[in-house]
Amino acid sequence: MTTDLTKPLIVAQLDITGHPPAPLLIDGTHRLYRAWREHVPRLPAYLLTVEETRQVQDNVLLGPGRTAITPPPT
């Protein structure tokens, strides 16, 4: 495997009402898999705050806030 385990994962934090923020891996699935296969106990990671996660979600180019495709008229 050529996956670079020194490159940090990116973990978002989702705000869920009534619960602590929930982590969501948004980059690094292959690195996580390789670490698991090779029994590597720790990986570097960037942990985004809830606010940083919202900024990504609200970004027109990155997040799901893109304009929905309007269905054709019936």
Side-chain angles (χ1 to χ4, degrees), residues 2-73:
T2 60
T3 306
D4 183 0
L5 296 183
T6 64
K7 184 178 175 187
L9 308 173
I10 300 177
V11 180
Q13 292 190 74
L14 302 176
D15 188 25
I16 301 173
T17 305
H19 298 281
L24 175 66
L25 179 66
I26 60 174
D27 182 56
T29 305
H30 292 103
R31 283 167 269 159
L32 187 62
Y33 175 74
R34 179 178 177 188
W36 174 77
R37 294 275 301 172
E38 296 179 8
H39 305 285
V40 175
R42 294 175 187 230
L43 292 173
Y46 293 120
L47 179 62
L48 302 180
T49 64
V50 170
E51 182 55 38
E52 290 169 330
T53 301
R54 281 193 191 113
Q55 289 175 6
V56 173
Q57 289 174 320
D58 294 341
N59 185 298
V60 174
L61 298 175
L62 300 175
R66 292 176 285 230
T67 305
I69 298 173
T70 307

